[in-house]
Amino acid sequence: MDQKRDFTSCSRVKGKAYNGANGKKIAIEYEGNQYMLKFPPSGQSKPTELSYTNSCFSEHIACNIFNLLGVSAQETMLGTFDVAGKTKIVCACRDFTADGKQLFDFCSIKNTILDSDSNGNGTELSDILETIEKQQFVEPDYLLQYFWDMFVVDALLGNFDRHNGNWGFLYDPVLKSTTTAPVYDCGSCLLPQADESVMQNVLESEEALNRRIFQFPTSAVKQNGRKISYFDFLTRAENEDCNEAVKRIYGRLDMEKINHLIEATPYISDLQKAFYKRYINARVSLILAPAYSITSL
């Protein structure tokens, strides 16, 4: 089983803070490296212990699955942190800007395209692809492959919130060079707000499972003003660059390794382990496998 860690006594990094809407974040040092410690969101109208911590599990498991599939993502660890006498489960994300690199999200890059009518926040697919083609920070073909690989893995993990503010680029001021940042901010994957009753229902009811495959979650990326259905878009196979990403990602899938990752994840119950394995396997068989069959014709 993965190691359990307590970050409570770790030194705080002065002069470092992180933005973002979901949950508190602090910078710490752990074993000589700098980490962003992400706390689960609080203040829900009907909080439960499980839904309170799920986003941290989603972050950790999803980032590790990205890495297993050959798409570079941030390094993460789960641990605990004591706040006002309460122990919270947190996700430690290794800070890939700790060496002086600067993170620019896609929203800010999108704002540099002066001959475009769309703003940085807009997630219309055609605008995203136009920005990828016109931006001058990294080689467009490389960025296009990066985007579609990320999109397909998000489809596998059911990410409903991959907006322009949570993926992007790293600029090295010493080398004066830019590359894509490791995938980060994956807390919206794997149905993070599902409580025990929802998990049990998904495990027992094919109808409940199918609703969470074919109806929701959708992508945050839009086409003609509507959020993209992962199943519909991937199985229509209308975008050749996306089709190639489907073939790349599907060819790298190893459910034995993914299941082992989930089994080794600390702090989660047997119900959660069964749910995550069932949910990911269903998204493989009901979304990625049909898409792969169509794109391989």
Side-chain angles (χ1 to χ4, degrees):
M1 180 172 289
D2 195 7
Q3 179 183 352
K4 291 187 176 182
R5 302 169 176 88
D6 183 0
F7 299 112
T8 308
S9 61
C10 289
S11 300
R12 297 277 287 268
V13 178
K14 296 181 179 179
K16 186 75 175 185
Y18 307 99
N19 61 11
N22 295 321
K24 306 286 188 180
K25 304 175 181 71
I26 62 172
I28 64 164
E29 287 186 2
Y30 178 76
E31 295 186 344
N33 294 305
Q34 186 168 303
Y35 287 84
M36 174 179 65
L37 213 60
K38 298 184 75 170
F39 290 74
S42 59
Q44 301 170 358
S45 58
K46 294 182 179 180
T48 65
E49 182 180 354
L50 192 58
S51 63
Y52 183 70
T53 59
N54 265 1
S55 61
C56 289
F57 299 140
S58 294
E59 184 85 45
H60 175 68
I61 294 172
C63 286
N64 277 274
I65 290 175
F66 266 100
N67 283 317
L68 283 175
L69 293 172
V71 182
S72 178
Q74 63 184 353
E75 299 177 31
T76 63
M77 300 181 294
L78 292 174
T80 56
F81 195 97
D82 292 340
V83 180
K86 295 182 179 179
T87 300
K88 299 185 178 183
I89 298 172
V90 296
C91 184
C93 307
R94 188 163 177 174
D95 190 336
F96 45 70
T97 67
D99 59 357
K101 292 186 176 68
Q102 300 169 5
L103 175 64
F104 296 99
D105 60 29
F106 188 72
C107 179
S108 61
I109 301 303
K110 201 165 180 282
N111 280 331
T112 68
I113 309 303
L114 301 180
D115 60 346
S116 173
D117 293 331
S118 65
N119 60 38
N121 291 323
T123 58
E124 185 69 27
L125 177 60
S126 59
D127 294 337
I128 291 173
L129 297 180
E130 178 187 34
T131 298
I132 289 174
E133 180 182 355
K134 291 183 176 180
Q135 57 78 37
Q136 299 179 0
F137 292 83
V138 298
E139 202 278 319
D141 287 343
Y142 167 79
L143 182 57
L144 192 65
Q145 177 173 319
Y146 172 92
F147 169 77
W148 283 120
D149 283 353
M150 181 173 61
F151 181 90
V152 172
V153 181
D154 278 338
L156 167 66
L157 300 173
N159 191 348
F160 58 84
D161 196 34
R162 182 72 67 194
H163 54 76
N164 296 342
N166 59 16
W167 68 281
F169 306 79
L170 285 178
Y171 175 70
D172 188 325
V174 176
L175 299 177
K176 299 187 185 305
S177 62
T178 307
T179 187
T180 49
V183 174
Y184 62 97
D185 203 355
C186 295
S188 296
C189 296
L190 302 172
L191 300 181
Q193 295 177 342
D195 60 15
E196 289 186 350
S197 63
V198 170
M199 290 185 177
Q200 195 68 50
N201 194 27
V202 167
L203 287 170
E204 296 174 352
S205 168
E206 187 173 349
E207 179 184 357
L209 175 64
N210 287 341
R211 283 200 304 271
R212 290 162 177 84
I213 300 294
F214 300 115
Q215 296 178 23
F216 180 84
T218 57
S219 172
V221 178
K222 297 178 180 178
Q223 193 170 37
N224 300 319
R226 298 186 63 181
K227 290 184 176 181
I228 288 173
S229 159
Y230 284 121
F231 171 80
D232 291 344
F233 186 85
L234 294 183
T235 55
R236 284 201 306 267
E238 295 174 347
N239 185 292
E240 189 56 38
D241 295 307
C242 182
N243 296 345
E244 291 302 312
V246 168
K247 288 186 276 191
R248 278 193 300 273
I249 298 303
Y250 189 81
R252 299 170 187 167
L253 274 171
D254 187 331
M255 287 307 300
E256 183 175 347
K257 288 184 178 180
I258 291 175
N259 289 339
H260 177 75
L261 164 67
I262 294 169
E263 285 293 334
T265 299
Y267 307 109
I268 61 176
S269 66
D270 289 342
L271 172 63
Q272 288 172 282
K273 291 177 181 179
F275 167 77
Y276 288 132
K277 289 189 287 186
R278 175 75 173 113
Y279 185 62
I280 293 171
N281 186 72
R283 294 190 73 85
V284 171
S285 61
L286 297 176
I287 297 180
L288 260 60
Y292 176 77
S293 297
I294 293 168
T295 58
S296 300
L297 293 176

